[in-house]
Amino acid sequence: MTAAPYVPEPLPPEGIDWEAHIPQIASANRALARYDGIFQAIPNPGLLLSPLLTQEAVLSSRIEGTQASLEDVLRFEANPRERISDTTLADI
């Protein structure tokens, strides 16, 4: 028995009433523009993004089998000289 690969329907799907989606698209566009304006007004936007990037890195690393928690990573970033186990350090 040979398994056939899944082949999705071509994009964009047919039958979408694009005109009905214009208000939602406009609302999303306004929200992104507001966010972009606020983000550009911040002197150091990395301060806002850094915790999110760290959290995402911890979560994606769990998929790879690492054991370091977000608390471990933040504790290490706050004080890299603090004594931690070699295993945790390797995971961080």
Side-chain angles (χ1 to χ4, degrees):
M1 179 171 147
T2 306
Y6 173 75
V7 179
E9 297 292 324
L11 293 174
E14 294 181 21
I16 292 180
D17 182 10
W18 291 106
E19 289 181 16
H21 289 81
I22 289 174
Q24 289 87 2
I25 293 169
S27 177
N29 191 31
R30 278 192 306 275
L32 286 171
R34 256 191 330 268
Y35 172 76
D36 186 49
I38 292 168
F39 193 68
Q40 288 187 16
I42 297 173
N44 187 357
L47 290 176
L48 278 180
L49 292 178
S50 181
L52 297 174
L53 293 173
T54 301
Q55 182 179 20
E56 189 279 329
V58 168
L59 293 174
S60 63
S61 294
R62 284 189 185 157
I63 295 170
E64 300 167 4
T66 61
Q67 301 300 315
S69 68
L70 180 59
E71 182 179 341
D72 292 335
V73 174
L74 294 176
R75 189 173 287 169
F76 176 77
E77 287 180 351
N79 185 6
R81 294 187 179 125
E82 181 181 330
R83 187 155 194 198
I84 55 175
S85 72
D86 292 338
T87 306
T88 303
L89 182 60
D91 284 347
I92 291 172

